[in-house]
Amino acid sequence: MTDLFAPYELKALTLKNRVVMPPMCQYAVEKQDGIPTDWHYVHYVSRAVGGTGFIIVEMSGVHPDGRITNRDTGIWEDGQIPVFKRLTDAVHAHGAKVAIQLGHAGRKAVDAAPPVAPSAIPFDDTYAVPKALSREEIAELIIAFREAARRAIEAGFDTVELHGAHGYLIHQFHSPLSNVRDDEYGQDPILFGEQVVKAVREVLPAEMPLIMRVSAKEYVEDGYDEAYALEFCRRYKEAGVDLFHVSSGGEGPIGSNGGPNAGPAYQVGLAEYIRSGLQVPVIAVGRLESYEEAQAVITEAKAELVAVGRGLLSDPYWALHAAEALGGIDSSDLPAPYVRGIWNKK
């Protein structure tokens, strides 16, 4: 029986366990230049020290106006590469693998003036009305995603994750709520995301798996359902995605229609649906901070990997504590300076 601490391999990516730290924005770039700070270094490296197998760095803008806020990280120019390289080297030194999530916030970029989107439809009445992208601007953004992926490889990341969820730009294109264009990008709302995937695959080594985060369901009225999500995931898989990170929502304000009952493992069924429908590996995410809940996702073969967000925010050593709680831990797996203080309880 495969468990949470079994190794996992996908193409050239080899993970020591199935625990994933999902991308979680820190809003901590005080100089607003997109460059990670000491905060980010400590934040990510401490989770590697704490036993996490796979760390995905927060959504980093492929364009300055593609960030959610100006205090987010970005990877839109080569000058940002060296600081990311320092971070990836340190994560690798502590036995973890690391990816970066590449994204563009589109109409949800609160500091952009103006934000851009497939159509001039604001997220809600507290957000600015976005500028509808021209074909030329769309082409430029596709190149921006490709170039950001190139920089990520140069910075030492083991792979990249494209953010196609939570109401950000790729999601905005494939959602009927935010894309009412009358050109090819409206007639085929999956086209933009498909072109981004293909462009990024151009610069990724063939053996490097490409990850994509998707919202497999929208919750507001007239939003799409799991069947439509399966359709666009199939297109993205055919374009070059190897692993889907399955989330949901983000297309409307939290609670705008009551939303889901966001209890433990509330999105695991969506991950399992995409996994079985496409015969593709998935990362399950969503209130999986319980050791037992996370373990069950793997032992019951509902997903290949488990992303633990809140749990890893509150406990950098979540993975080591989970291993101890679920069946014991070998002291050789522990950071030697900490053994006597945390785990040597006999």
Side-chain angles (χ1 to χ4, degrees):
M1 181 176 66
T2 303
D3 68 16
L4 193 59
F5 294 94
Y8 179 70
E9 293 185 17
L10 180 63
K11 291 187 170 180
L13 181 68
T14 300
L15 307 178
K16 65 181 180 181
N17 61 45
R18 309 298 180 100
V19 181
V20 178
M21 181 178 183
M24 294 176 283
C25 288
Q26 299 296 294
Y27 307 108
V29 182
E30 294 180 2
K31 293 184 179 180
Q32 302 188 12
D33 56 6
I35 297 175
T37 66
D38 285 348
W39 172 268
H40 298 90
Y41 183 88
V42 172
H43 174 65
Y44 292 112
V45 176
S46 63
R47 273 67 186 180
V49 172
T52 303
F54 190 34
I55 293 166
I56 307 177
V57 169
E58 64 203 81
M59 185 175 106
S60 298
V62 302
H63 185 279
D65 283 340
R67 294 171 289 172
I68 302 168
T69 78
N70 285 347
R71 291 171 63 89
D72 293 317
T73 53
I75 192 164
W76 65 79
E77 62 182 17
D78 288 358
Q80 294 160 328
I81 293 173
V83 178
F84 279 115
K85 184 66 166 62
R86 174 176 177 257
L87 190 158
T88 62
D89 285 347
V91 168
H92 289 148
H94 293 287
K97 298 297 174 68
V98 59
I100 185 171
Q101 187 184 70
L102 305 178
H104 191 295
R107 67 179 186 172
K108 295 177 80 173
V110 298
D111 288 331
V116 297
S119 303
I121 303 171
F123 178 64
D124 66 19
D125 58 10
T126 68
Y127 280 72
V129 176
K131 175 187 180 294
L133 288 159
S134 68
R135 286 188 182 89
E136 293 74 20
E137 289 168 331
I138 289 171
E140 290 171 359
L141 285 177
I142 292 168
I143 293 171
F145 272 97
R146 185 190 69 198
E147 289 302 291
R150 173 187 60 79
R151 294 183 191 101
I153 296 165
E154 292 183 22
F157 286 99
D158 297 292
T159 188
V160 301
E161 175 177 282
L162 298 176
H163 203 342
H166 300 166
Y168 299 121
L169 188 63
I170 294 175
H171 182 170
Q172 289 164 31
F173 268 92
H174 65 227
S175 173
L177 299 170
S178 45
N179 182 355
V180 296
R181 300 174 68 97
D182 58 10
D183 64 1
E184 65 269 33
Y185 291 99
Q187 295 162 9
D188 180 2
I190 305 170
L191 179 61
F192 174 71
E194 181 180 62
Q195 290 178 334
V196 169
V197 170
K198 290 180 177 179
V200 168
R201 278 257 62 121
E202 290 175 2
V203 297
L204 259 61
E207 69 276 10
M208 183 177 285
L210 176 59
I211 307 169
M212 190 171 196
R213 197 171 205 187
V214 294
S215 285
K217 183 177 183 178
E218 293 183 325
Y219 296 106
V220 305
E221 186 177 357
D222 298 324
Y224 63 72
D225 61 11
E226 300 95 319
Y228 178 63
L230 192 68
E231 176 187 342
F232 64 66
C233 285
R234 179 176 287 109
R235 290 271 298 275
Y236 296 149
K237 177 187 177 185
E238 291 170 353
V241 174
D242 299 289
L243 174 66
F244 288 98
H245 191 170
V246 184
S247 188
S248 65
E251 77 294 339
I254 295 173
S256 57
N257 74 329
N261 177 19
Y266 76 102
Q267 294 176 142
V268 171
L270 295 171
E272 190 175 14
Y273 176 78
I274 299 297
R275 180 180 187 265
S276 61
L278 296 181
Q279 298 300 297
V280 65
V282 297
I283 304 172
V285 64
R287 303 307 303 267
L288 290 168
E289 57 264 31
S290 159
Y291 307 145
E292 292 76 18
E293 291 278 3
Q295 173 81 318
V297 170
I298 303 301
T299 59
E300 295 172 13
K302 294 179 177 179
E304 280 67 28
L305 302 169
V306 174
V308 179
R310 290 172 176 83
L312 276 164
L313 282 181
S314 65
D315 180 7
Y317 305 97
W318 187 95
L320 294 176
H321 290 138
E324 182 181 41
L326 293 170
I329 189 166
D330 190 315
S331 62
S332 64
D333 295 330
L334 303 173
Y338 292 170
V339 172
R340 68 182 183 275
I342 301 176
W343 285 277
N344 188 11
K345 298 176 180 177
K346 294 183 180 179

